[in-house]
Amino acid sequence: MKDLLLITPPFTQLNTPYPATAYLKGFLNTKEISSFQLDLGIEVINTLFTRKELQFLFDSAFENKTIVTENCERIYGLRHAYLNSIEAVISFLQGKNETLARQICTDGFLPEASRFNQLDDLDWAFGTMGMQDKAKHLATLYLEDLSDFLVECIDPNFGFSRYAERLGRSANSFDELYEALQGDLSYIDELTISTLHEHLTKVQPKLVCFSVPFPGNLYSAFRCAEHIKNNFPSIKIAMGGGFPNTELRSISDARVFSFFDFISLDDGELPVELLTNYCINNSETELKRTFLLENGVVTYKNNSAKPDYKHSEVGTPDYSDLLLDSYISVIEVANPMHSLWSDGRWNKLTMAHGCYWGKCTFCDVSLDYIKIYEPVAARILVDRMEEVIAQTNENGFHFVDEAAPPSLMKALALEILKRNLSVTWWANIRFEKNFTQDLCLLLKASGCIAISGGLEVASDRLLKLIDKGVTVEQVAQVTRNFTSANIMVHSYLMYGYPTQTVQETVDSLEMVRQLFQLGIIQSGFWHQFALTAHSPIGLAPHDYGIVPTYEDITFANNDVQFKDNTGIDHGIFSFGLKKSLFNFMHGIGFDMPIQDWFDFTIPQTQIEPYFIEDSLNTPVEFKVKPNAKIVWIGGEPNSNVITKTKRGKSWEMLSLTFYDKQETIAITLELEEGTWFLNQLPNLMPSADVLPSFKSLKSNFEKDFENFELFWFSKPINHLKEFGLLAV
């Protein structure tokens, strides 16, 4: 028996748990509040893709005569091949049956339907030895074929990372969702409810908290809440998470509270703690940012004077209870950067609450989850990493910040190196100028393999209007710095921003083409601009040349329909932008005229063909910030005093030999200066208590010698900088 049951309803990710319940459980541990967490999505998926359930699906589709298309007829005709292979394939994708990769990569092992028609050039994508990834890609197509069958023949709302998503999108009224909930349970509903019922019987919670991050989780959350109300009436039910935080701030429909007793907004730690006291301990009625029904009226309670917990006080995420060995790694697109979201079991952590920039005009910067910026000390972050590794036996981390701050990433990298911790991590960033070549090399040395960031619209005029704080030239230089440090780069791209012209859309695509062709971006995704109620544009739409259409809000309020004064239908660009990007991510299509991506006439680009390349040809700066930390991430050298002779004169030099992981580096310095440098190296190691600044190192040098800059920018030291002598 537990006080709380924390649930993520279907569906989010196949490969790793959505972190909200783990964050909340970690906090509850600090308050000695007992809880159990459950990812209903992965449990339903693992029930669904079994021989028993597939047999039921095929029989149902045949009996109900729902097989219509030629594709589903083919899948049904191959049903025995699917039944014989499904459990082995799922086991392989869970990492439990790796030798099956050789079978999967053999022609004729997996049944193939329409998804295999778009099969990539596998030899190009995976080479001759990338067998595990190649097999994951093929197995993913196999599952997507089965998903197509399920959608057509059994349940049209199904999706691997969402369920009945349309019912949660821009649902200003509760009517459509409420009507759907009056109907019979779907097949997926029945699987979900059956799994939920088992856990409720076992855990016997007093309070159930649903974390609903996306519209595609909303319908299932209501179905689950309905079942609890009908079968466990003594249990109180609350909803929180990303969807209510952004969409349900104006809720007034009392019918919602026949399913849920409470809906809380923003950071969940304090609201859940107070709800626990309220529901379980019958304490006073103080609540924090919580809706409930009083006398038949939706009422917002925020009468607790207790401040929210700082990000450093909420504890370490706790992934216990979750079936970590049951998550499924898939590879939808044969692109190593793109696959990070779906392949591998990543531990989720956050470096800082909120966004340190907090200005982008399309973003919900007025809401607390963006507005309140609170970083965590690097020492605490790495403590949390070590705790999570001990618990999950996984050393991969995805930092899910809105935008990880460069200064904290630097401190994190140094702390990881100081502890000799072997981890793999990636994060979301802004492409800002502080990501120098040296900082990128430091991040790579600490285990950073990839970053994602928003280029948004590749137009300096629009980037200024967005208040992104970057230029296209700067983005190019920063992505070059990451790529040259062997850190992969994913870029979020946007089209249809207010006042954006057709010419700017075409020019933006040309910028993106050049970035991919030069290899300084490896992956990307185009999003059409959506106006949200809580963004600067949503709060002052007329300042951005748009006319919003406001609906009566009784349920969800986030996406706002609008008309752009340009009158352009930006939606017509969607297919061409995404098709071109798909090709660019596979290293092809760079020589195709931009016109060929579209089936309507567009203007020629006005971007010079070498604009991005020219942006990278910046002069070398012989200048270091005085407060930059100097760090050596290589090993200790072998040293040897040698004698040089020239024109009859002899003098002693210091030869230093460093062993890089891939090669050997040898430099020769004047004996006295070389001895000074050799003595300084221990102080430059990440393990040093305090790393010297450039200014302090210069002062130390100039106690005995002259002109530190001449030494620092000499040929031997510059050579060493290429192998880990960094100014960060």
Side-chain angles (χ1 to χ4, degrees):
M1 182 182 294
K2 301 286 185 181
D3 291 332
L4 273 66
L5 176 59
L6 311 173
I7 299 177
T8 305
F11 292 105
T12 49
Q13 287 179 269
L14 293 176
N15 64 309
T16 199
Y18 194 78
T21 60
Y23 280 33
L24 198 52
K25 184 176 176 67
F27 165 75
L28 293 171
N29 292 344
T30 70
K31 298 297 174 182
E32 298 184 349
I33 297 172
S34 64
S35 65
F36 187 91
Q37 63 182 322
L38 166 64
D39 181 352
L40 264 178
I42 197 61
E43 297 204 24
V44 169
I45 288 291
N46 281 311
T47 300
L48 171 60
F49 289 104
T50 58
R51 185 186 183 96
K52 175 185 174 183
E53 288 301 322
L54 276 193
Q55 183 70 66
F56 174 78
L57 293 181
F58 288 131
D59 291 347
S60 297
F62 180 77
E63 291 169 8
N64 296 321
K65 299 180 179 177
T66 55
I67 303 171
V68 176
T69 65
E70 183 180 338
N71 185 54
C72 285
E73 286 180 353
R74 173 175 173 77
I75 293 173
Y76 182 76
L78 290 167
R79 62 191 180 280
H80 296 299
Y82 284 105
L83 292 171
N84 290 336
S85 57
I86 184 63
E87 292 182 355
V89 169
I90 291 296
S91 179
F92 165 72
L93 292 175
Q94 291 172 335
K96 302 172 184 175
N97 188 14
E98 293 183 356
T99 55
L100 189 69
R102 295 180 180 273
Q103 276 273 62
I104 292 174
C105 293
T106 302
D107 288 343
F109 176 73
L110 291 180
E112 299 179 7
S114 65
R115 294 292 183 139
F116 285 79
N117 295 338
Q118 60 190 26
L119 194 62
D120 300 310
D121 181 347
L122 296 184
D123 287 338
W124 173 88
F126 301 106
T128 57
M129 292 299 292
M131 192 169 292
Q132 292 292 321
D133 283 353
K134 180 179 177 180
K136 284 181 185 177
H137 183 53
L138 292 170
T140 301
L141 299 177
Y142 162 96
L143 287 184
E144 288 176 338
D145 276 335
L146 286 173
S147 173
D148 291 342
F149 185 88
L150 183 58
V151 169
E152 179 180 322
C153 305
I154 304 295
D155 190 339
N157 287 319
F158 179 74
F160 279 120
S161 59
R162 60 190 65 85
Y163 187 70
E165 185 178 42
R166 63 177 182 81
L167 295 173
R169 278 186 178 163
S170 304
N172 305 129
S173 166
F174 186 51
D175 290 347
E176 186 179 5
L177 178 55
Y178 186 74
E179 182 179 349
L181 292 166
Q182 304 313 301
D184 294 336
L185 295 180
S186 70
Y187 169 70
I188 295 296
D189 291 339
E190 290 174 349
L191 289 184
T192 302
I193 296 304
S194 173
T195 305
L196 172 66
H197 193 93
E198 289 180 18
H199 284 287
L200 288 168
T201 303
K202 182 178 178 181
V203 177
Q204 300 180 41
K206 300 182 179 71
L207 172 64
V208 174
C209 298
F210 287 91
S211 177
V212 180
F214 307 115
N217 304 96
L218 187 68
Y219 169 83
S220 284
F222 272 89
R223 274 299 192 201
C224 292
E226 175 186 53
H227 180 78
I228 296 171
K229 285 290 181 188
N230 292 338
N231 295 276
F232 301 87
S234 64
I235 296 175
K236 297 297 183 183
I237 312 169
M239 186 207 311
F243 182 85
N245 290 350
T246 54
E247 305 268 357
L248 300 185
R249 307 184 81 88
S250 304
I251 190 170
S252 61
D253 195 319
R255 292 176 297 175
V256 173
F257 292 87
S258 62
F259 297 84
F260 293 93
D261 299 293
F262 311 100
I263 296 175
S264 70
L265 303 180
D266 302 323
D267 293 345
E269 288 82 9
L270 183 57
V272 168
E273 181 186 16
L274 294 173
L275 277 176
T276 303
N277 292 331
Y278 182 75
C279 296
I280 298 175
N281 302 327
N282 298 315
S283 69
E284 296 180 4
T285 58
E286 282 193 355
L287 295 174
K288 194 81 168 181
R289 296 188 302 274
T290 299
F291 288 102
L292 71 164
L293 202 64
E294 284 190 337
N295 302 317
V297 177
V298 178
T299 305
Y300 184 63
K301 291 278 190 179
N302 193 24
N303 57 350
S304 172
K306 190 173 181 180
D308 279 293
Y309 291 96
K310 298 291 185 184
H311 191 46
S312 58
E313 300 172 337
V314 297
T316 300
D318 183 348
Y319 286 90
S320 62
D321 309 328
L322 298 172
L323 306 180
L324 297 181
D325 62 347
S326 295
Y327 285 86
I328 299 168
S329 286
V330 295
I331 296 180
E332 300 162 279
V333 179
N335 175 287
M337 176 68 211
H338 212 75
S339 69
L340 286 178
W341 280 271
S342 61
D343 183 24
R345 238 280 305 135
W346 300 98
N347 299 312
K348 309 276 188 174
L349 281 179
T350 309
M351 294 188 201
H353 180 286
C355 179
Y356 72 98
W357 180 248
K359 297 179 183 179
C360 296
T361 54
F362 62 82
C363 190
D364 293 336
V365 296
S366 66
L367 300 183
D368 285 354
Y369 83 97
I370 299 285
K371 182 172 63 176
I372 299 175
Y373 174 64
E374 291 176 355
V376 175
R379 175 183 51 79
I380 296 175
L381 273 176
V382 182
D383 284 345
R384 291 177 178 176
M385 292 174 77
E386 291 186 318
E387 289 179 49
V388 171
I389 290 170
Q391 182 187 94
T392 66
N393 292 317
E394 295 279 357
N395 68 349
F397 289 86
H398 178 197
F399 289 97
V400 293
D401 299 66
E402 300 298 323
S407 58
L408 185 49
M409 291 176 74
K410 175 177 74 174
L412 173 70
L414 289 169
E415 187 68 20
I416 289 171
L417 291 169
K418 184 175 184 176
R419 301 192 194 188
N420 294 314
L421 194 61
S422 179
V423 294
T424 303
W425 62 276
W426 55 296
N428 192 47
I429 65 156
R430 285 179 63 245
F431 292 120
E432 65 157 83
K433 62 184 178 182
N434 287 331
F435 287 108
T436 62
Q437 180 68 67
D438 280 10
L439 178 54
C440 292
L441 289 169
L442 177 70
L443 299 178
K444 175 63 177 177
S446 72
C448 179
I449 58 164
I451 56 92
S452 56
L455 169 56
E456 318 308 353
V457 182
S459 156
D460 285 340
R461 180 188 78 83
L462 292 172
L463 284 171
K464 186 175 181 181
L465 194 60
I466 289 173
D467 202 2
K468 193 71 182 177
V470 300
T471 64
V472 177
E473 180 179 351
Q474 182 179 311
V475 170
Q477 292 166 3
V478 169
T479 56
R480 183 267 316 276
N481 291 344
F482 277 109
T483 301
S484 62
N486 289 316
I487 295 174
M488 296 186 294
V489 178
H490 173 90
S491 181
Y492 298 105
L493 305 163
M494 185 187 296
Y495 63 101
Y497 189 82
T499 75
Q500 183 172 0
T501 65
V502 171
Q503 185 68 60
E504 285 173 322
T505 301
V506 171
D507 290 348
S508 186
L509 175 54
E510 171 60 16
M511 295 280 205
V512 170
R513 185 194 70 79
Q514 292 184 27
L515 288 164
F516 273 93
Q517 187 172 29
L518 288 170
I520 56 177
I521 286 180
Q522 292 76 48
S523 171
F525 191 84
W526 285 104
H527 304 256
Q528 185 168 355
F529 169 78
L531 176 63
T532 61
H534 311 292
S535 66
I537 302 179
L539 296 172
H542 299 291
D543 293 347
Y544 297 86
I546 60 174
V547 179
T549 302
Y550 294 113
E551 307 285 345
D552 291 333
I553 304 298
T554 57
F555 187 53
N557 179 30
N558 194 31
D559 286 4
V560 179
Q561 299 300 311
F562 68 94
K563 289 184 178 179
D564 190 329
N565 290 343
T566 64
I568 298 168
D569 178 10
H570 295 285
I572 63 174
F573 290 95
S574 176
F575 181 78
L577 290 173
K578 292 176 181 178
K579 182 180 179 182
S580 62
L581 188 65
F582 183 83
N583 281 270
F584 297 161
M585 286 196 295
H586 289 79
I588 57 178
F590 298 124
D591 295 331
M592 286 179 60
I594 289 181
Q595 175 64 68
D596 289 2
W597 300 116
F598 303 96
D599 58 4
F600 53 91
T601 302
I602 58 169
Q604 289 189 340
T605 180
Q606 295 180 354
I607 303 300
E608 293 294 326
Y610 298 101
F611 177 86
I612 297 297
E613 187 173 345
D614 290 342
S615 298
L616 302 178
N617 293 328
T618 53
V620 177
E621 273 196 23
F622 292 100
K623 187 179 179 182
V624 180
K625 291 181 179 179
N627 62 345
K629 298 294 184 185
I630 306 302
V631 57
W632 168 244
I633 57 175
E636 296 179 7
N638 290 337
S639 61
N640 186 31
V641 178
I642 62 174
T643 301
K644 280 202 170 184
T645 302
K646 188 175 182 181
R647 295 178 183 174
K649 292 186 177 180
S650 300
W651 66 97
E652 291 183 322
M653 303 284 288
L654 186 65
S655 173
L656 299 175
T657 303
F658 298 86
Y659 298 98
D660 182 70
K661 290 178 182 176
Q662 293 178 300
E663 54 189 289
T664 301
I665 311 118
I667 65 170
T668 303
L669 298 168
E670 296 288 343
L671 180 59
E672 292 79 7
E673 292 180 352
T675 302
W676 173 87
F677 180 70
L678 183 61
N679 291 335
Q680 292 300 315
L681 273 181
N683 303 324
L684 307 183
M685 301 282 193
S687 57
D689 290 336
V690 180
L691 289 170
S693 66
F694 181 80
K695 182 180 179 180
S696 65
L697 198 64
K698 171 182 166 73
S699 297
N700 188 307
F701 180 89
E702 292 182 347
K703 289 177 183 177
D704 300 306
F705 311 102
E706 295 181 356
N707 202 333
F708 179 67
E709 282 79 2
L710 192 62
F711 170 80
W712 187 254
F713 294 106
S714 65
K715 187 175 180 179
I717 297 300
N718 280 337
H719 185 55
L720 210 54
K721 290 173 188 175
E722 299 172 9
F723 296 92
L725 182 59
L726 310 175
V728 294

